[in-house]
Amino acid sequence: MTLTKRCVTTLAGLLLTVGIQAAPVEMAGVKLADPIDLGDARLQLNGAGIRYKAVFKVYVAALYLNKKAATPEEVYATSGPKRISITLLREIDSNELGKSFTKAFEENAPKTEMSRLIPGLLKMGQVFADQKKMVAGENFTIDWVPGTGTVISVKGKPQGEPIKEAEFFNAMMRIWLGSKPADWKLKDELLGKAS
């Protein structure tokens, strides 16, 4: 093979690889970027899935970490920034959404940590109460940013002050990854297990 052919073959391979890595994942019409940048870190899509309630699609959830994690314990122990992204697939009353998150939060949070988590839980409830309603296509993210805390952003805008306690972010993750998750199939999908 000539040098020119080798260069063309190598370049084509590199372009194909870059193209594959940059291609967003699409789920129920929602495009999920992979990777994403959060602060100074580049996070990869660990897994994504659709939350169903009965037969209705409610939202697409995507978990981003700096390295792959296959168990909830690995997710909790992962250092560095983390993100869970939620994109709604139907209109939802924000109070209803906040109440369902609070219930799942309480069912999955360690009882020994609850007293420290209540202030963050109240802040989270207020964030959703302030929204009134969210419609299909709208997005919110819950980020863990070391040195800052848990940042909840709605439609790309941070809401209120960060919640400083590290336990709060992991307690939030238990809504989807805990022993009583919001949706068992979604839990597996967020952990990168094919359905």
Side-chain angles (χ1 to χ4, degrees):
M1 185 181 289
T2 68
L3 181 59
T4 305
K5 283 185 182 178
R6 232 180 291 152
C7 288
V8 169
T9 303
T10 302
L11 182 59
L14 285 172
L15 288 174
L16 182 60
T17 302
V18 170
I20 289 170
Q21 289 175 344
V25 174
E26 188 168 326
M27 186 167 286
V30 175
K31 289 186 177 160
L32 303 170
D34 185 23
I36 64 162
D37 293 319
L38 179 57
D40 295 335
R42 180 151 280 207
L43 306 181
Q44 61 184 327
L45 181 63
N46 195 72
I50 298 172
R51 165 72 165 110
Y52 285 88
K53 194 162 187 176
V55 297
F56 301 103
K57 293 177 181 178
V58 182
Y59 56 77
V60 171
L63 176 62
Y64 292 92
L65 304 169
N66 61 9
K67 63 180 183 178
K68 289 287 186 180
T71 67
E73 294 72 27
E74 289 175 8
V75 173
Y76 308 145
T78 299
S79 62
K82 307 173 201 181
R83 168 175 284 175
I84 186 119
S85 173
I86 307 291
T87 303
L88 298 178
L89 298 175
R90 52 185 293 207
E91 184 176 307
I92 295 180
D93 177 272
S94 295
N95 265 333
E96 179 187 323
L97 186 64
K99 285 178 188 174
S100 69
F101 282 170
T102 300
K103 181 179 180 223
F105 185 100
E106 290 170 349
E107 288 177 346
N108 287 286
K111 303 301 176 220
T112 57
E113 294 178 9
M114 274 309 286
S115 63
R116 287 193 314 269
L117 300 175
I118 288 173
L121 192 56
L122 293 172
K123 285 182 188 177
M124 181 196 70
Q126 189 60 52
V127 165
F128 289 106
D130 290 346
Q131 300 305 312
K132 307 298 182 223
K133 70 176 179 178
M134 295 183 72
V135 298
E138 290 184 335
N139 172 273
F140 66 91
T141 58
I142 303 167
D143 295 334
W144 171 250
V145 181
T148 300
T150 299
V151 178
I152 301 172
S153 297
V154 179
K155 303 174 206 169
K157 295 179 185 164
Q159 305 294 305
E161 292 296 312
I163 301 161
K164 302 286 184 193
E165 298 79 16
E167 301 92 350
F168 183 79
F169 184 83
N170 284 340
M172 288 295 296
M173 291 302 93
R174 287 185 181 99
I175 291 172
W176 298 279
L177 304 177
S179 59
K180 297 177 183 176
D183 183 311
W184 284 95
K185 184 174 185 242
L186 177 57
K187 175 180 177 175
D188 286 344
E189 291 169 336
L190 291 172
L191 293 172
K193 299 173 184 168
S195 55

